[in-house]
Amino acid sequence: MKQPRSIVITGASSGIGEALALLYAGPGTVLALTGRDSARLEAVAERCRAAGARVDAAAIDVADRGAMAEWLARVDAETPVDLLIANAGMSAGTGDGSETEEQARRILAVNVDGVLNSIHPLIPAMRARRQGQIAIMASLAGFRGLPGAPAYCASKAMVRVYGESLRGDLAGEGIGVSVICPGFVKSRMTAVNRFPMPFLMETDAAARVIRRGLERNAARIAFPWPMMAAVWLLALLPPSWTDGVLRRAPRKA
Ligand SMILES: NC(=O)c1ccc[n+]([C@@H]2O[C@H](COP(=O)([O-])OP(=O)(O)OC[C@H]3O[C@@H](n4cnc5c(N)ncnc54)[C@H](OP(=O)(O)O)[C@@H]3O)[C@@H](O)[C@H]2O)c1
């Protein structure tokens, strides 16, 4: 969508979500932003208001299905949503030992259930209007299981494939669906990594790439291209060729 007027962004209290909120903020834009940290979220909301946007900021855990459904219904009733960016997510890995069941379940609750809780409350209304756009934040980490982050990789693979399927399913109803697959982007999530991150991007630059992709309703917004190419090759090669290398790769704490 070229000029979405009403935009929902989950996980807007920092990182890529914050950069997207600031990029879209301007006179005539209505933003609905969520995150859990009210202070950080309100600071982002204030900057967006200063840029001329009308902002509704609500501290909600995306894993809370009822709270998300209630908030999104209110937001859409006030100003029908043109674009939803289901961006909120968390990461953790096996750098401190094997992934616990607890960790795996929490990552899936936020990164998978959280995406479902963000998009489904709006789909019936978009269907009825035969208009709307949904963007799902996946990752280049979702193309091949990495020993350093099992649940994270699985969660991003799930939402990527789900988004690709949804795109075909909803295309005939006037609703666009894009999946976003970034490589490394500077944020609170990557700030904790103690290993080299090839082609690490600034959040503003990532937000601009995402916005350009969404303007042309791209099916997949994957970047930067050298990381995309590396991941594509990794996914293509037989696991027996790549397992050894991946086992030795650094792991996220
Ligand atoms: N940075 C990268 O290299 C990279 C690469 C590929 C994909 N991604 C994806 O991009 C998205 C944004 O990450 P980021 O890099 O910008 O990291 P970030 O700075 O840590 O931002 C994560 C955002 O998600 C929110 N969030 C986390 N758990 C939540 C929950 N349970 N309920 C509601 N909001 C929640 C956070 O809000 P609070 O802090 O207020 O809880 C924050 O606003 C994630 O889905 C991530 O997986 C990032």
Side-chain angles (χ1 to χ4, degrees):
M1 195 175 288
K2 271 273 175 231
Q3 295 252 299
R5 189 177 154 261
S6 166
I7 304 165
V8 174
I9 304 174
T10 70
S13 57
S14 71
I16 301 172
E18 172 180 2
L20 282 167
L22 293 167
L23 187 62
Y24 279 109
T29 307
V30 181
L31 294 175
L33 310 177
T34 67
R36 286 168 310 170
D37 187 305
S38 337
R40 273 194 278 111
L41 184 65
E42 198 41 45
V44 175
E46 265 314 304
R47 290 173 68 197
C48 293
R49 288 184 191 111
R54 203 172 88 212
V55 185
D56 176 336
I60 305 175
D61 187 327
V62 284
D64 184 339
R65 181 177 172 183
M68 284 298 287
E70 204 175 302
W71 178 66
L72 288 165
R74 180 173 61 73
V75 164
D76 193 68
E78 279 168 15
T79 315
V81 175
D82 294 325
L83 168 64
L84 161 77
I85 307 180
N87 162 75
M90 62 173 290
S91 74
T94 56
D96 298 329
S98 288
E99 186 160 72
T100 61
E101 179 181 347
E102 189 71 21
Q103 178 170 304
R105 287 186 185 279
R106 180 63 187 155
I107 290 173
L108 294 175
V110 174
N111 294 6
V112 175
D113 292 346
V115 166
L116 300 181
N117 295 342
S118 304
I119 65 179
H120 278 283
L122 289 177
I123 289 179
M126 287 184 174
R127 264 200 168 117
R129 292 193 287 271
R130 298 193 65 77
Q131 187 192 312
Q133 190 174 12
I134 294 168
I136 296 177
M137 180 59 76
S139 168
L140 288 183
F143 286 84
R144 164 70 160 96
L146 306 172
Y152 184 76
C153 291
S155 70
K156 294 303 182 182
M158 188 279 178
V159 295
R160 175 177 62 81
V161 175
Y162 190 68
E164 287 168 0
S165 306
L166 214 55
R167 179 179 172 86
D169 187 30
L170 296 178
E173 308 201 46
I175 303 171
V177 182
S178 302
V179 289
I180 307 167
C181 305
F184 292 113
V185 179
K186 276 188 193 169
S187 70
R188 296 165 67 85
M189 189 175 280
T190 47
V192 297
N193 293 347
R194 295 287 163 258
F195 50 80
M197 290 179 274
F199 306 102
L200 180 66
M201 285 179 76
E202 297 292 334
T203 44
D204 296 359
R208 284 195 298 273
V209 173
I210 293 168
R211 184 180 180 161
R212 278 200 301 274
L214 292 179
E215 280 171 356
R216 56 186 175 83
N217 186 29
R220 182 185 292 168
I221 304 167
F223 58 94
W225 73 263
M227 283 297 284
M228 176 64 224
V231 162
W232 180 79
L233 188 65
L234 261 181
L236 202 68
L237 292 172
S240 56
W241 292 15
T242 52
D243 273 354
V245 180
L246 293 179
R247 266 203 301 272
R248 286 190 297 277
R251 292 163 186 241
K252 192 176 179 81

